[in-house]
Every structure is written in C-alpha cells, then in structure tokens.
Amino acid sequence: MLWNDIKYAIRTLLKKPGFCLVAIFTFALGIGANTAIFSVVNGVVLKPLPYVEPERIIQLWEYDKRQKPTQSSISPLNFNDWRNQSQQFEHLSAYRFLSFTLTGGSQPESLRGAGVSASFLSVLGVKPALGRDFLAEEDAPGKNRVVMISNGFWRTRFEGRADVLSQTLQLNGETHNIIGVLPAGFEFPNNVELWTPLGIDVSRIERGNHFLFAIGKLNPGVQVSAAQVEMDSIAGNLEQQYPNTNTNSGINLIPLHEQIVNPTVRASLYVLLGAVGLVLLIACANVTNLLLVRATSRRKEIAVRLSIGASRWQLFRQFLTEGLLLSALGGGVGLFLAWWGVDLILSLIPNDVPRFKDINLDSRVLLFTLIASFIAGTISSVIPALYGTRLDLNHTLKESGQSVAGNSLKNGVLGVLVSAEIAIALVVLVGAGLLLTTFLRLQNVNPGFNPTNLLSAQISLPQTRYKEAEKPGAFFQKALERINNISGLESAGAVSNLPFSGSRSVSSFEVEGRPSQNSDDGFAADRRVVTPNYFKTMNIPLVEGRDVTDRDTPQTNGVIVVNQCWARTFFPNENAIGKRIQIGDEDEVELYGKPIWREVVGIVGDIKHQDLAVAEKPEMYIPYLQQSSSRMMLVARGKGDSGNLTAAIRNEVQSLDGDLPLYNIRMMDERLALSLTPQKFIAILISIFAIIALLLAIMGIYGVMAYTVEQNTREIGIRIALGAQSRNVLNMVIQQGLKLAVMGIVLGLGAAYFLAKTLSGLLYSVSATDFTTFGSIAFLLALVTVVACLVPARRATKVDPMIALRYE
C-alpha cells in the first residue's frame, strides 16, 4: 500500500516539474543549512571525548576565593597532597606546557610540548600506538630524558618508520630517547607534539609557586558533586596547615568536556542552530503554501475519488506521502549543500574553537538529516492534507473551477503562513543585526597601542644553557642592541606576555603599609617583564613617571611600572608613583635570593590584552634585568612595511645563538584580527542564514500575492471596467501584502524582543533591545514586501476587463 502511494505521488509530482523543483530547492536550503550547523554542534559539543569513559574525567583547578577567576594553576606541593589524600579519584595526574627547541637539523625548530606525570595516559585511558608509557621512576629530575611523540610528528619527521623507538631527539640541548608514539588524533593538551615526564624536584619549590594543571579520573560510580565535597575538605585542611600560602585557596572541579567546550562556544553554536532552525520553519511555511495552492487545484479530483469509495485517511496519507517525498528529495540535495557548507564553515571557524577536527558528516549527522527531512515534510503536509480532504462532496462537485480555487483563501491560511514567515525572518534578521553590529564595533575598539607595521616573534631560551638567573636578561640585552641597528627598523623591544598572543601571567602582591594575605581584599594583577623601548615600540603612552631602562639591574633598587587601571584600582585617591609593592615570585627569589620591594616609577596607558570586548585589567611591568624570563616576545616596528624584517631579526638572534629558533611570527594587526575571529565567524554565518530567511520570506510573499491576483482576476477586471485606475489596482494589491507584512512584523518584534535577550552575553556595546536594529529590520521587511508585491501588482493592472469577465 505504501509503495502504491509512493508510485502515485511520483506520477502526480512529475506532472508539475516546476512546482517540484521549487519545493525541493526550498526544502534543500532549510535542511542543508541545518545539517551543516548540526555537524558543527555534533563535532564540538555532542560527541563524547575520544577517551575511555570520558564522563569520569575531570579538570582540577586551584583558585583564590577572594578573586573572580575560578581557574588558576596549581602548586606542585598542593597537588601532591591532593593525590595522597583523595579517595574519590582512581588517578590524578599533573601536567605543564613546555616549549622545546629541536636541534640537529638544518634550522632549529620550536615545538609545543608538555611535561606530564606518570599517570597522565591512565587518566585518559590512552595507550601508545607504538612503544610504552612513562614509568613512575622516570618522573624525577635527571631521569626524565625520554619522550613520546605525536602520530603526526612521527609521520612527518620519521616518515612513519617502525624503528622510531631507537631514535633520539635533541631537545633544549639535551638528548631524549623516543619511547613511544601516541595514537593518531591525540594532541591533549592543546595540540601538543611532544610529551616528557614532569621531573620536578619538589624539595626546591615553594608551596606558593603555581604552574601546574591537573586532570583526574573519578572512581566508578562517583559523582562530581561528591568529589567536590571531598576536595573542599582537603582544601580546608591545607588552609589550616599552611595559612601563609593556602588561605582562601579553593579547589574547583570541572568535567573535562565542559572545560574543553567552554560556555561561550556552546552558546554561539546553539544560537546558530536556533537561527537555522528558524530558517527551516520558514522553508516549511513556504512549502505548505505551495501544497495548499496545489491542494486547492485538486479539490475536484479529491471529491471524485471520495465519491467512488476512497477513504479520507487514504487521501490524507497520499498528501503526506507527497510531502515526505518532496522533503526526502530536498534532504538529499540539502545533504550535498551541507557537504559544501561544512567546508565553508571550516574555512571560517576560529582556530581556538575546540574539537573542530571532529566536524564531519558522520552517521549521526545523516540521521539528523533524515529526521529533519521527515519532520519538515510532515509539518508542511499536514495543513494541506487536512484542508484537501475535508470537503462537502455535493457542493464541491457542483462548483466551478474558479469558485473552487477561491475557497482556499476563506480561512486566510496562506496569509497567516506568510505573516509567520515574516515574523520568523525578522527574528533571525534582528539576531544577525545585533551580532554584526557587535563585530563592527569591536573592529573600531582602540586596543591601547598601534598595531600598524608592528612585527612580533617569540624566543625561548633553553634552561640547560641559560640556567643562571642573569643569563636571559644578558642575552636579550645583546639581541635588542643588534636588532635596533637593523636598517629600516624604527624601534624594537620585548615583553614576556604580548597582547593577543594567547599568554597571560597573573601575580598576587603585597602593598607596603597595608594588610596582606589574610585580608579579604587580596591584591592581584597581570604581570609582564619588559625591556626598554617596549612601550615606545608599541606606542603605549607614558602617562606619568619614567620608563624602564637598562640601569634597572639587580644591583639597583627594585622598580616597577604600572598601568592606569592598576593605579585607579589600588590607589584610587592617591598618586601611585612612589608606592612600594612586593611580588616575591620564584624567578625574583632566584635572582635576588629573597623577595624585594619594588617602587612604582611610572604609569602607562591601559591596553586590551586578550579580548577587545573585555575591560582593561590592572597590569604591572617589571624591568627585564630585574626579573629573569627565558621566554620573551619581540616586537619591532618598521619604518614602512615590516614584513621583510623577519629574516634580518632571525639572523641577528642566531648570530648570538645558532640553536635558537624564531617562531610564533605574526604582524600585530593580524593578531588583532584573529582575536575577532569568533565574533566574525558567528556574524558571517548568522548573516548568511538571515539572507536565506529573507529570500524565503520574499518568495512566500511573492507567491501568495501572485496567487491572490490570479484568483481575483475577475474582481480586478470588474473594478477596471467600472473605472478603477491602474494606481488604484496597484495600491490595492500592495496594501494586501503590507497587511500581511505588518502582522508579521508586529509578531516578530515581540518574539525578537524576548529572544534577543539570550544573545546579551555575545554582544558588545549594543543593547539586546537596540531600537536602531529593530527599527531598521522592520523597515527593511516592509520595503521588501512592497518590492515582492510589485510584480503581481503590475500584472493586476494589465488585466483586460473583457477577458476577465469571461474568466470562468
């Protein structure tokens, strides 16, 4: 019976190829857009992490209860206590990010690495594809000269050779034996290529030093809430044991999946999925209108079939089959559009979007397409099926063709559907307008420095050759002397954490004469190590006091430069110049032998560091000769195009140390542009979907008005015969269209008002209820309604009264 319905539907639809193509293409647009976005949501949010029992894997953080951020790095000594005292975790493992300089080739190369404790792979449930895991005894200083490599590194560097386990790598000037190759696709954490044992000597580390990260696997059946209670208890015990370092120190547990896919990414993707869902509703409304018109033209056929014995259920099923056949064909074409759309999305997707490599058209996406096609076909078919099968047989069989057709508009179904399309389109357009405004306004935000013609590059000094605390400063002093003599270069400097480079360092500090660590008013700020000329090169203004100089050495008094936000925050009613603070971190203690007091000698302008949408933060700048830093970012401003400075800077650096690579090389305006990629990504995609929604709405308005003109040809002819002018007929048709538009705009503004509130977390410098956006979108829809009505309206003005009066 079903097969008979399908065969009859095919024969019937083939009689109207134009109708079929329009319906299939409309479905394809809606279903294809939904499939493409769902493939992104599926790959990033819905797919489980590629580890064994990923729901049991937890990311652990330390945090200061007095400060807002609840995710800070971990003290190695605290981590050891967690591991010894916790009963809720099967494994706990620590790791840290490392930068390796690989030598032995034609050029030194910088590689991203991680130092991990021996249970690291056990937490994730991952086993090496070749070789073995780290041994517990290798997690000690001097015994950790072994390395596991990523599958990609094995294939590119060693061409996938099986004898890789007998090879060695020269990393930071030391020989490391390769003991294992990890499975393809494994790059945790954060696209790492090399893994070595941590090898930390905890006897030489203060409890106040925080530089580790931690993950753990819960025991089977243990809930995160239970583990959190246990860790809160452990944190309380450590606070009592070590009040000087652990007062107000808490432990935060976050499921690893939630940690990797942060709330902002989730919200952005769900907004896009909601937008394309609305586009699909518009497509369904359009197809419903098409099927309604078609059902109207078939009422006499349906009446005849009912009169000779067909049941209403059989005819209802036939309408449903036709709609589902159209949606299935539309889904097939939509799948092809989605395949192309996914490639487009991957070309636009920000590099920092997690798990983007998992985005593909897999079986789950295919199932989604099938379900979306079924739902779309069903939604679009039900109203035409109900209307087409509820007939008064006697009345319908006696009706003329024109009067039969005219009955379809008695209940205003077509008009209601068009108004709904306009309302939905308005919601999507308002969302797109708000997000596009956010992106445009972010582009005009002043970052606090001038990125034009500004080149940046990173240098990391291997600790094996620069062990003494004075050596990094001496190296960068010589390097900058050489670099500043390069022809065509205006100035050059260096900083430990460059804006928009992805790195940040926060330090707590004490203020002389104020209560310190046991106060609830804890002091903390971003900390940078800078060289002379850094502020000049970046064009960061010196507001008060002086810059750092090469005279600021370990033999002179400790000094520090702060930004205006720091001065406002910690000395709101005083002049910060001359105030003294103490940071006392590990590098400073290594250089001076003890914590020192630093005097504020300068105040510089505020800058944006990580996000143009985030307010400026308090920042401290320490002279590079008074704070050991083996990793620095060079900045060089050219007098013209700075792109050709890279080779010259590399030559000067390698003239001092031939084994040092210059890496992470970018122009600063490029870094700024990359920081806006997430906003650009969502703005572009939702704008594309808004345009599709607008086009579908225009098609819907045009189709209904063209149909209305056709069905009212006789009435229009009579009006013209009685003296109506062309402009009267034109106004009549346009007014009918505008009535539908106004109804849809009113409904859409109400819905957009509430739905736009959900976007507030993604907006910058624009209200979720921005009058300009709402008003301009409403005006745009009214305008396109008039445009969509013009062709049917002009056709109405050309009706010949004599032909119209003989129309039936």
Side-chain angles (χ1 to χ4, degrees):
M1 192 179 298
L2 175 61
W3 177 239
N4 288 335
D5 286 343
I6 294 173
K7 287 192 295 183
Y8 184 80
I10 293 172
R11 289 198 304 269
T12 304
L13 293 174
L14 287 176
K15 293 178 181 178
K16 298 285 186 180
F19 161 81
C20 289
L21 289 175
V22 171
I24 290 170
F25 180 71
T26 304
F27 272 136
L29 279 177
I31 295 171
N34 276 267
T35 300
I37 293 301
F38 179 78
S39 68
V40 178
V41 174
N42 176 53
V44 175
V45 179
L46 301 181
K47 276 186 182 178
L49 297 174
Y51 309 126
V52 176
E53 299 181 286
E55 68 280 359
R56 292 169 52 196
I57 304 175
I58 305 296
Q59 183 93 43
L60 296 90
W61 299 94
E62 277 196 270
Y63 72 101
D64 189 332
K65 297 175 184 177
R66 300 165 297 183
Q67 303 293 330
K68 251 189 176 182
T70 57
Q71 299 181 10
S72 297
S73 53
I74 299 165
S75 162
L77 293 175
N78 285 344
F79 173 77
N80 285 345
D81 288 330
W82 298 357
R83 187 165 52 185
N84 294 333
Q85 297 178 34
S86 173
Q87 302 297 316
Q88 302 288 4
F89 285 91
E90 185 178 284
H91 299 289
L92 276 175
S93 178
Y95 64 92
R96 66 186 300 190
F97 291 101
L98 299 172
S99 178
F100 291 113
T101 298
L102 175 65
T103 53
S106 58
Q107 285 287 334
E109 184 179 350
S110 179
L111 299 174
R112 188 174 178 85
V116 302
S117 56
S119 59
F120 179 73
L121 293 184
S122 299
V123 171
L124 300 171
V126 174
K127 294 182 179 179
L130 287 177
R132 64 172 177 84
D133 197 352
F134 296 128
L135 304 176
E137 55 266 28
E138 290 172 334
D139 194 5
K143 297 181 180 179
N144 61 336
R145 302 295 181 257
V146 292
V147 61
M148 285 192 285
I149 62 176
S150 70
N151 206 278
F153 185 82
W154 171 50
R155 295 187 182 279
T156 55
R157 177 71 57 167
F158 295 98
E159 299 176 342
R161 298 200 311 268
D163 65 348
V164 66
L165 301 180
S166 63
Q167 304 296 315
T168 61
L169 294 175
Q170 288 294 120
L171 303 175
N172 294 342
E174 295 181 329
T175 301
H176 288 66
N177 296 314
I178 299 175
I179 63 165
V181 177
L182 287 169
F186 182 82
E187 296 175 336
F188 185 85
N190 241 6
N191 300 321
V192 164
E193 295 178 279
L194 305 175
W195 293 260
T196 63
L198 267 177
I200 296 175
D201 185 357
V202 293
S203 65
R204 300 183 59 187
I205 294 178
E206 299 291 333
R207 188 172 289 271
N209 291 338
H210 295 69
F211 56 87
L212 291 182
F213 305 91
I215 54 174
K217 174 164 273 189
L218 296 171
N219 286 318
V222 173
Q223 300 297 314
V224 178
S225 56
Q228 183 68 68
V229 170
E230 180 191 56
M231 298 309 290
D232 288 342
S233 175
I234 292 173
N237 294 336
L238 293 178
E239 186 173 1
Q240 292 180 357
Q241 287 181 264
Y242 310 103
N244 290 335
T245 57
N246 285 57
T247 296
N248 291 312
S249 179
I251 305 171
N252 190 18
L253 273 58
I254 300 177
L256 186 60
H257 190 283
E258 183 180 330
Q259 179 68 48
I260 291 174
V261 185
N262 62 66
T264 301
V265 172
R266 287 174 184 264
S268 299
L269 293 181
Y270 284 137
V271 165
L272 289 176
L273 191 59
V276 291
L278 294 177
V279 170
L280 182 58
L281 283 179
I282 297 175
C284 290
N286 258 355
V287 176
T288 300
N289 274 343
L290 291 172
L291 292 175
L292 267 172
V293 171
R294 190 164 183 275
T296 298
S297 66
R298 297 173 63 190
R299 283 170 69 88
K300 208 154 201 175
E301 170 204 336
I302 300 302
V304 171
R305 293 178 65 184
L306 285 171
S307 66
I308 61 176
S311 69
R312 294 185 187 274
W313 163 242
Q314 287 175 319
L315 296 172
F316 183 91
R317 191 180 65 212
Q318 185 63 52
F319 275 101
L320 198 60
T321 302
E322 291 176 11
L324 290 173
L325 185 58
L326 289 171
S327 66
L329 293 171
V333 177
L335 198 59
F336 172 77
L337 294 177
W339 173 75
W340 174 82
V342 168
D343 287 341
L344 173 64
I345 291 171
L346 289 175
S347 69
L348 296 172
I349 204 164
N351 290 331
D352 58 352
V353 168
R355 309 190 67 196
F356 71 92
K357 293 181 181 178
D358 292 331
I359 298 172
N360 52 54
L361 299 179
D362 61 10
S363 58
R364 186 181 298 188
V365 176
L366 296 178
L367 179 61
F368 171 85
T369 306
L370 182 64
I371 294 173
S373 301
F374 177 80
I375 293 174
T378 303
I379 291 174
S380 302
S381 305
V382 167
I383 294 177
L386 289 173
Y387 171 76
T389 56
R390 292 183 178 178
L391 304 176
D392 182 331
L393 293 183
N394 290 329
H395 180 70
T396 303
L397 290 172
K398 292 177 182 178
E399 283 180 329
S400 65
Q402 177 65 19
S403 57
V404 171
N407 287 336
S408 65
L409 295 176
K410 286 182 178 178
N411 57 9
V413 175
L414 295 179
V416 170
L417 288 172
V418 168
S419 295
E421 287 184 48
I422 293 173
I424 296 170
L426 186 141
V427 172
V428 180
L429 285 163
V430 164
L434 293 173
L435 292 170
L436 192 58
T437 302
T438 289
F439 174 64
L440 294 175
R441 292 188 178 175
L442 282 172
Q443 284 187 307
N444 294 322
V445 170
N446 181 8
F449 57 87
N450 180 10
T452 306
N453 292 332
L454 191 61
L455 177 72
S456 63
Q458 190 162 353
I459 298 177
S460 294
L461 304 179
Q463 293 183 352
T464 53
R465 298 202 308 276
Y466 295 86
K467 286 183 179 179
E468 292 78 6
E470 299 87 354
K471 281 191 173 182
F475 171 85
F476 287 111
Q477 186 175 30
K478 292 178 183 177
L480 286 170
E481 286 176 1
R482 290 171 175 263
I483 292 171
N484 274 297
N485 288 325
I486 293 175
S487 175
L489 188 142
E490 186 177 301
S491 65
V495 65
S496 56
N497 295 290
L498 183 71
F500 300 96
S501 66
S503 63
R504 183 184 174 211
S505 179
V506 179
S507 291
S508 58
F509 60 91
E510 296 181 24
V511 176
E512 188 177 39
R514 291 192 186 179
S516 58
Q517 293 173 353
N518 292 328
S519 168
D520 288 336
D521 300 326
F523 304 115
D526 284 20
R527 176 177 58 83
R528 320 265 182 263
V529 177
V530 296
T531 69
N533 277 342
Y534 170 71
F535 299 122
K536 174 186 174 183
T537 304
M538 295 285 289
N539 282 357
I540 299 174
L542 181 64
V543 178
E544 189 176 352
R546 70 170 178 86
D547 195 350
V548 302
T549 71
D550 281 336
R551 295 187 296 276
D552 298 318
T553 68
Q555 288 72 43
T556 61
N557 292 332
V559 298
I560 195 166
V561 173
V562 300
N563 69 340
Q564 291 174 294
C565 182
W566 190 97
R568 289 193 305 270
T569 302
F570 302 112
F571 294 94
N573 301 313
E574 304 175 61
N575 188 347
I577 298 291
K579 305 300 182 183
R580 299 212 308 165
I581 67 170
Q582 186 178 83
I583 300 174
D585 61 13
E586 179 185 6
D587 292 331
E588 182 178 277
V589 172
E590 184 180 357
L591 189 63
Y592 287 90
K594 63 178 182 179
I596 65 167
W597 289 96
R598 296 186 178 275
E599 180 184 348
V600 177
V601 297
I603 300 175
V604 296
D606 294 332
I607 65 169
K608 304 283 187 178
H609 186 78
Q610 286 183 301
D611 192 334
L612 289 170
V614 175
E616 294 83 356
K617 297 181 181 296
E619 294 183 339
M620 307 178 293
Y621 299 93
I622 302 174
Y624 76 121
L625 294 177
Q626 291 188 347
Q627 174 77 75
S628 177
S629 179
S630 60
R631 182 181 300 178
M632 297 282 275
M633 293 288 293
L634 297 176
V635 285
R637 185 178 298 280
K639 294 178 181 177
D641 182 7
S642 300
N644 57 1
L645 293 175
T646 304
I649 294 174
R650 180 181 285 112
N651 289 337
E652 295 299 342
V653 170
Q654 293 188 350
S655 68
L656 293 173
D657 189 334
D659 288 337
L660 286 183
L662 201 65
Y663 64 103
N664 196 6
I665 303 167
R666 287 189 190 277
M667 301 301 292
M668 279 304 297
D669 49 8
E670 185 183 355
R671 292 188 187 277
L672 277 176
L674 287 173
S675 75
L676 292 177
T677 307
Q679 291 87 352
K680 180 180 179 181
F681 169 71
I682 189 172
I684 289 176
L685 283 186
I686 200 169
S687 296
I688 291 172
F689 301 143
I691 291 171
I692 294 173
L694 183 60
L695 291 175
L696 289 173
I698 292 172
M699 289 170 57
I701 297 166
Y702 171 81
V704 168
M705 296 316 300
Y707 177 78
T708 302
V709 169
E710 181 184 350
Q711 303 311 312
N712 290 279
T713 299
R714 189 167 185 272
E715 176 190 341
I716 293 170
I718 293 172
R719 287 175 179 269
I720 293 174
L722 293 175
Q725 300 296 313
S726 294
R727 65 175 180 274
N728 302 125
V729 176
L730 195 72
N731 289 338
M732 179 187 72
V733 176
I734 291 176
Q735 284 175 8
Q736 287 179 340
L738 280 175
K739 285 180 183 178
L740 300 178
V742 168
M743 185 188 305
I745 288 170
V746 171
L747 292 172
L749 287 173
Y753 175 81
F754 292 103
L755 292 178
K757 295 287 188 181
T758 63
L759 297 177
S760 56
L762 301 174
L763 303 180
Y764 173 79
S765 191
V766 58
S767 168
T769 56
D770 181 59
F771 174 80
T772 302
T773 302
F774 277 68
S776 58
I777 296 300
F779 175 77
L780 173 65
L781 281 172
L783 182 63
V784 299
T785 298
V786 173
V787 173
C789 292
L790 279 177
V791 174
R794 286 179 62 83
R795 187 181 302 150
T797 63
K798 299 182 184 302
V799 170
D800 186 330
M802 296 304 294
I803 296 176
L805 293 174
R806 295 198 301 267
Y807 189 68
E808 297 192 27

